[in-house]
Amino acid sequence: MFSEVSAPQEGSCSLLLCRPGSEDQEPSVFDRVKPAYSPCSERFKLGERSFNRQYAHIYATRLMQMSPLLTERAQQKWGADVRIRKLCDLQMGEQCCIVGTLFKHMELQPSILKEISEEHNLLPQPPRTRYISESDELILEDELQRIKLEGNIDVDKFVTGSVIAIYGAEKNDGKFTVDDFCTADLPPQAPRTTLSSDRFVLLLSGLGLGGSHADSMLALQLLVDMVTGHLGDQGEQSGASTISRVLLAGNLLSQSTQDKDASTKAKYLTKKTQAGTVDAMRLLDEMLMQLVSSVPVDVMPGQYDPTNYTLPQQPLHHCMFPLSSSYPTLQLASNPHQATLDGVRILGTSGQNVKDIQKYSSMDSHLEILENTLRLRHLAPTAPDTLGCYPFYLKDPFILEECPHVYFSGNAPSYQAKRITGAEGQEVLLVAIPEFSSTQTACLVNLRTLECEPIRFSSFSAGDDEESEMNISH
Amino acid sequence: MDDLYLDNIDEFVNDQNKIVTYKWLSLTLGVHVNLAKQMLYHYLDQKRKEGSARLHATYLVSGKFVENGTTSHKVSVVREDQLEDAKSKMSLTVSVHVYSVQKAVLKDSGPLYSADYDAVKENLRNCSRYSAIRCADAVPRSSAEVQQACETTQAPPPETEQIKANHSNLASKPTSKQPKGIMGMFANKNVSKNQDSSKEIKLEQKEVTPVVETSKTKPAPKTNPVTNFFAKQAASKYFNNPISHTVGRTRYFPLDSKTKRLEHSDSEEEKNESRRKKRRRIKKPEPDSSDDEVIPDSPPQLQEKRDPSPSPEIQVKKEPVAVSHSDVSFHI
């Protein structure tokens, strides 16, 4: 735990609550640990982009890549002699296994066709928090056909785009009755090298700069001061020097910087007004400048950051960081981002995939959804159906080919972390990074033990009497 | 010498009514942060002993905090009266030190942030000079290195599976696998021609050509004005192409019933060269004339202008529109 690492030595009183020492006592300076870092998110970087293709190709390649994995899993689960059939070869009443992509038919799902259809005369549907309903249906599609599913399958837990294997039989009414199902489960994992000393990675997301209330600005400043070694006792400063990297997982800017007026107001009214993002980016650059002069930082874009909307989001452009981009410690990363730090593989997103699944399923906990995506072996199954995505056609880069050691998603409402083990002994630490602007909490991951600890920053406010903790309502 | 700083702090706190945080003091006096914290404590201690205790202080407490069974590391800034309380709540106290000293009672911690903000902003270049941690990697690159890094990031390797030519910046001839057929001719020629013009416009038009190709199957397609416009754009770019083969050319006729200039496109090998040169010369003053707020012309209006005028002018008119269109339509 970080606290133990930074704890003062036995018996020594606080060094800083005393007079400055004599002249020859040099103030201690610690060196930042330097881990071996290598980014491996080349497959999320897009070169030339063409949007002329249909999105159907992603589904085709997804199925093509995942079918062999699923057939293998099916044989492991239900016996090597289980019949694996294509949908066109199905026979009535025969117990068999089918592999395909799920499609969830939801009544409440916003459909552009319904909106523009004249015969319905519908107003556009207002955005809801959840689009599931009782009447949702699951349909399995393979390369040629589709079939409705019913039976022992929980419709609410699945989302469109997941590739699974189903065991059951087709009954008389043309629907497939499910007895059991299986997902691709965790991919193989490379063993990680054991470290001799504690090394930490700070995971942070949802800074919300440029927002209308500055509740978390002092907390953010405290965090920066702590990581850069200004804050705290000597023990804490030496502990902070073991933080080898800081990863900012999206939503660096607040949602309020997204100026909706630009699209609705007339251009001559908004001509002279500056976009809200300009000041916010300047704040971000100054903050990053303080950080990069002391620790390597990975910056991932999020939902409200000035980069493209579709996944994979491209790294923020370095021209927006005039001060900090001159430091080699600043790494502008894509969303999703993958990197290897001292042999520990870290993979994660800024949370858009998890939030989208949350809207279209009954799962509430970000951690549960994160685990589900790992078991499905796909980062964002709802892309491109409800989540914006680039029309890939040769390869689906969101399929997890290798199991990460740390798997995170940013901008969760609260901090959650869990360690799971896979069937083949894979060990993954799942972290749902909380939004800093509302919780003032960041995560510290210990690379040696693969444990995660939240770190909370607080200050006092006018409304507090008995406790010093600052609440959200400031 | 030792007590000089006491006078300094006295001046800041009493005369200037400043909130003296340890960080501000360290940046102002140019001392290590830990030394600044000790100085503040010394000052506070001395003043309290003297009896002129009109000073208030805030402290920083950090340690292990257990809450609902989860342990977390908590770092908080507390007022002096809340100090003991905060310390008792922690199961393990890691550090305690003076955060700031000021004359007034602080109801809110907001001023602490603003007190540091200005000092940090002025000293951004060497903000980590007085901190307790040094990072060997954090050395700013020289401007030459930054330039090089910019150029390498500007030209990511083109995806070979996509039907795109290389960036004109990098190569005059495309080095990636040549896409077959018509696209290959497009890619080839467009690259060699694209030396001066901006990459984006070219990409737009290259992207447009597949649209044109796919829609060629319908004899009289019900294209909306936008794709119609792009088709015209592509046609004109294409039409500049010395390798404008008949195969591609004929395909444009069904789409573009409105444009008459395609009828010129029969014999233009020589004309293309001169036009191209003319286009380049005329193109230069354009960036001055077009500003960001140019609303692109709507397609029908563009056609009226185009019909009586010869082709070079078409190219000229095309460019600013193309730029704006690219700004409007293609940015994701």
Side-chain angles (χ1 to χ4, degrees):
Chain A
M1 285 284 120
F2 186 69
S3 321
E4 273 105 42
V5 171
S6 334
Q9 308 301 327
E10 288 295 332
S12 69
C13 64
S14 178
L15 213 63
L16 297 175
L17 284 177
C18 61
R19 289 168 185 243
S22 49
E23 294 289 326
D24 48 346
Q25 189 187 53
E26 279 294 314
S28 41
V29 170
F30 306 98
D31 279 320
R32 176 82 60 192
V33 294
K34 235 194 324 195
Y37 171 79
S38 62
C40 4
S41 9
E42 282 76 30
R43 60 193 178 137
F44 299 124
K45 297 255 172 80
L46 298 172
E48 301 292 326
R49 281 168 252 183
S50 155
F51 284 83
N52 296 314
R53 277 190 289 275
Q54 298 271 344
Y55 281 100
H57 300 296
I58 310 184
Y59 287 119
T61 156
R62 193 183 289 179
L63 188 57
M64 204 163 67
Q65 279 182 270
M66 297 203 51
S67 302
L69 306 168
L70 277 167
T71 358
E72 203 186 304
R73 286 270 178 231
Q75 283 167 342
Q76 278 173 8
K77 191 163 177 185
W78 299 307
D81 53 349
V82 66
R83 275 184 289 255
I84 299 183
R85 288 254 182 270
K86 294 267 180 234
L87 283 180
C88 46
D89 299 328
L90 273 185
Q91 289 167 25
M92 205 71 75
E94 185 196 16
Q95 285 285 108
C96 60
C97 162
I98 49 177
V99 173
T101 319
L102 275 181
F103 177 77
K104 189 152 112 169
H105 179 80
M106 293 177 276
E107 269 305 307
L108 297 173
Q109 182 177 3
S111 163
I112 187 71
L113 297 175
K114 280 190 201 155
E115 269 182 43
I116 62 175
S117 159
E118 308 223 321
E119 26 185 81
H120 285 235
N121 268 344
L122 283 178
L123 295 164
Q125 203 185 29
R128 301 161 61 106
T129 47
R130 270 232 158 83
Y131 292 98
I132 56 174
S133 75
E134 291 297 317
S135 59
D136 293 341
E137 289 174 334
L138 276 181
I139 297 162
L140 193 81
E141 293 186 5
D142 72 358
E143 294 93 351
L144 301 169
Q145 290 186 347
R146 49 155 51 183
I147 191 164
K148 257 192 210 158
L149 298 176
E150 58 179 13
N152 188 19
I153 192 161
D154 190 357
V155 182
D156 288 335
K157 292 269 187 285
F158 287 98
V159 285
T160 304
S162 333
V163 184
I164 60 174
I166 305 259
Y167 186 69
E170 185 189 354
K171 295 292 191 295
N172 288 342
D173 54 358
K175 294 192 192 165
F176 196 87
T177 310
V178 179
D179 291 333
D180 199 5
F181 67 90
C182 88
T183 58
D185 221 16
L186 276 67
Q189 189 183 60
R192 63 185 170 98
T193 51
T194 45
L195 292 167
S196 50
S197 62
D198 282 325
R199 294 259 178 98
F200 292 92
V201 177
L202 183 75
L203 300 176
L204 183 59
S205 88
L207 302 180
L209 292 173
S212 41
H213 23 246
D215 288 358
S216 59
M217 292 311 288
L218 181 63
L220 191 60
Q221 191 59 47
L222 287 178
L223 183 140
V224 172
D225 285 342
M226 193 209 79
V227 173
T228 53
H230 288 100
L231 213 62
D233 232 343
Q234 276 186 331
E236 180 145 15
Q237 285 164 348
S238 91
S241 67
T242 59
I243 297 179
S244 57
R245 200 158 194 101
V246 174
L247 202 144
L248 296 174
N251 279 0
L252 312 162
L253 303 188
S254 145
Q255 189 179 9
S256 48
T257 58
Q258 301 282 298
D259 194 22
K260 294 293 172 209
D261 288 346
S263 50
T264 50
K265 262 194 187 165
K267 207 146 181 184
Y268 71 95
L269 286 173
T270 55
K271 199 160 95 170
K272 293 294 181 198
T273 55
Q274 212 180 39
T277 45
V278 175
D279 280 329
M281 286 309 284
R282 203 177 311 135
L283 265 178
L284 178 66
D285 191 28
E286 284 161 14
M287 192 208 84
L288 278 179
M289 176 78 174
Q290 296 173 50
L291 271 180
V292 294
S293 56
S294 168
V295 66
V297 183
D298 279 352
V299 181
M300 285 169 62
Q303 196 180 355
Y304 307 125
D305 293 327
T307 181
N308 57 317
Y309 164 72
T310 50
L311 281 191
Q313 282 184 303
Q314 298 304 290
L316 296 167
H317 201 275
H318 62 85
C319 69
M320 293 194 280
F321 303 103
L323 296 168
S324 35
S325 58
S326 57
Y327 281 85
T329 39
L330 178 71
Q331 174 94 5
L332 295 165
S334 58
N335 170 28
H337 180 55
Q338 194 175 335
T340 312
L341 202 62
D342 265 341
V344 176
R345 214 180 175 85
I346 301 179
L347 167 68
T349 63
S350 301
Q352 288 115 313
N353 54 336
V354 172
K355 285 209 181 108
D356 201 62
I357 297 177
Q358 195 186 17
K359 275 199 284 192
Y360 292 96
S361 74
S362 64
M363 298 184 275
D364 252 330
S365 148
H366 277 230
L367 203 67
E368 190 188 343
I369 297 173
L370 203 59
E371 189 179 348
N372 258 342
T373 58
L374 189 60
R375 296 220 183 261
L376 283 172
R377 220 190 268 206
H378 199 275
L379 273 177
T382 49
D385 186 37
T386 44
L387 187 61
C389 172
Y390 175 76
F392 294 103
Y393 78 111
L394 277 187
K395 218 168 108 69
D396 186 347
F398 298 121
I399 297 177
L400 296 167
E401 271 147 24
E402 205 185 302
C403 191
H405 298 101
V406 179
Y407 185 44
F408 66 87
S409 96
N411 299 298
S414 63
Y415 164 80
Q416 279 174 307
K418 193 165 92 161
R419 208 149 154 195
I420 61 170
T421 6
E424 285 135 27
Q426 303 104 328
E427 280 198 352
V428 190
L429 171 69
L430 301 176
V431 184
I433 311 174
E435 213 172 350
F436 194 83
S437 55
S438 51
T439 59
Q440 286 88 42
T441 311
C443 310
L444 270 175
V445 175
N446 189 338
L447 294 176
R448 184 178 65 93
T449 59
L450 267 200
E451 276 169 3
C452 185
E453 186 190 4
I455 175 165
R456 228 162 245 140
F457 297 89
S458 62
S459 62
F460 56 92
S461 72
D464 292 333
D465 294 326
E466 71 289 4
E467 242 206 0
S468 57
E469 193 168 273
M470 182 169 81
N471 291 320
I472 299 166
S473 53
H474 198 164
Chain B
M1 178 10 202
D2 278 359
D3 291 350
L4 253 175
Y5 62 82
L6 288 175
D7 293 331
N8 283 338
I9 302 176
D10 198 35
E11 190 189 320
F12 296 139
V13 176
N14 283 321
D15 300 342
Q16 296 176 16
N17 273 334
K18 268 192 166 2
I19 300 176
V20 180
T21 60
Y22 75 94
K23 196 164 172 192
W24 187 91
L25 192 67
S26 124
L27 286 171
T28 315
L29 295 183
V31 294
H32 193 269
V33 279
N34 288 352
L35 194 59
K37 292 167 197 164
Q38 288 172 333
M39 285 178 185
L40 278 179
Y41 178 82
H42 186 191
Y43 173 74
L44 204 63
D45 198 36
Q46 194 189 49
K47 284 289 172 203
R48 294 259 162 86
K49 283 188 187 135
E50 280 174 16
S52 54
R54 277 165 307 160
L55 297 173
H56 296 92
T58 57
Y59 287 82
L60 181 99
V61 185
S62 74
K64 201 157 121 177
F65 186 66
V66 182
E67 188 182 14
N68 304 338
T70 52
T71 52
S72 60
H73 185 82
K74 191 158 155 192
V75 177
S76 40
V77 176
V78 295
R79 283 197 294 256
E80 203 164 5
D81 43 338
Q82 300 160 327
L83 178 60
E84 290 309 316
D85 191 41
K87 279 208 297 200
S88 61
K89 282 209 172 69
M90 307 261 184
S91 62
L92 170 70
T93 312
V94 172
S95 58
V96 182
H97 67 78
V98 181
Y99 190 85
S100 77
V101 172
Q102 62 276 342
K103 227 158 73 161
V105 175
L106 280 183
K107 285 278 186 310
D108 199 34
S109 46
L112 289 174
Y113 172 69
S114 27
D116 275 339
Y117 181 71
D118 295 320
V120 167
K121 201 154 168 198
E122 280 167 37
N123 293 308
L124 263 182
R125 289 274 154 216
N126 49 356
C127 47
S128 285
R129 206 154 106 198
Y130 305 114
S131 87
I133 299 179
R134 288 265 176 284
C135 180
D137 287 334
V139 174
R141 290 186 280 224
S142 63
S143 49
E145 286 170 7
V146 173
Q147 194 70 11
Q148 203 177 31
C150 293
E151 276 162 28
T152 47
T153 50
Q154 274 258 318
E159 294 187 16
T160 50
E161 58 263 31
Q162 300 206 24
I163 310 172
K164 287 281 169 290
N166 282 334
H167 287 246
S168 47
N169 302 335
L170 283 184
S172 54
K173 290 252 183 319
T175 53
S176 63
K177 164 179 86 167
Q178 275 301 311
K180 305 182 182 78
I182 307 293
M183 296 317 301
M185 296 169 224
F186 276 62
N188 227 336
K189 259 308 141 192
N190 275 342
V191 162
S192 58
K193 246 186 340 108
N194 286 352
Q195 310 299 338
D196 314 332
S197 30
S198 74
K199 185 165 55 135
E200 270 187 61
I201 301 174
K202 294 299 160 286
L203 290 179
E204 250 69 276
Q205 286 151 345
K206 273 182 240 142
E207 288 174 21
V208 163
T209 49
V211 172
V212 169
E213 297 286 334
T214 49
S215 52
K216 71 185 185 298
T217 48
K218 305 179 201 163
K222 208 173 56 166
T223 54
N224 53 38
V226 180
T227 44
N228 217 0
F229 174 76
F230 289 142
K232 285 177 222 130
Q233 260 193 336
S236 71
K237 266 281 151 243
Y238 175 77
F239 147 76
N240 248 341
N241 215 328
I243 301 186
S244 36
H245 282 244
T246 52
V247 182
R249 208 178 297 146
T250 51
R251 286 186 186 144
Y252 285 95
F253 283 99
L255 277 173
D256 268 354
S257 46
K258 291 180 193 172
T259 51
K260 293 179 199 145
R261 75 188 183 301
L262 288 168
E263 287 150 28
H264 305 315
S265 60
D266 288 326
S267 62
E268 69 236 350
E269 256 64 54
E270 325 75 40
K271 286 191 206 165
N272 269 345
E273 300 290 318
S274 55
R275 251 182 238 117
R276 237 191 303 144
K277 284 182 195 144
K278 272 190 195 169
R279 213 183 105 248
R280 275 196 200 136
R281 247 190 285 130
I282 293 169
K283 234 190 340 163
K284 272 171 198 157
E286 271 162 20
D288 308 323
S289 56
S290 63
D291 44 284
D292 294 346
E293 286 114 37
V294 165
I295 312 286
D297 292 336
S298 54
Q301 196 189 349
L302 190 63
Q303 282 177 31
E304 288 158 25
K305 282 188 198 155
R306 201 187 300 126
D307 287 341
S309 55
S311 25
E313 284 181 32
I314 299 165
Q315 306 312 318
V316 171
K317 282 198 179 50
K318 281 267 191 289
E319 291 308 309
V321 182
V323 172
S324 328
H325 254 286
S326 69
D327 287 342
V328 166
S329 338
F330 278 96
H331 279 195
I332 300 130

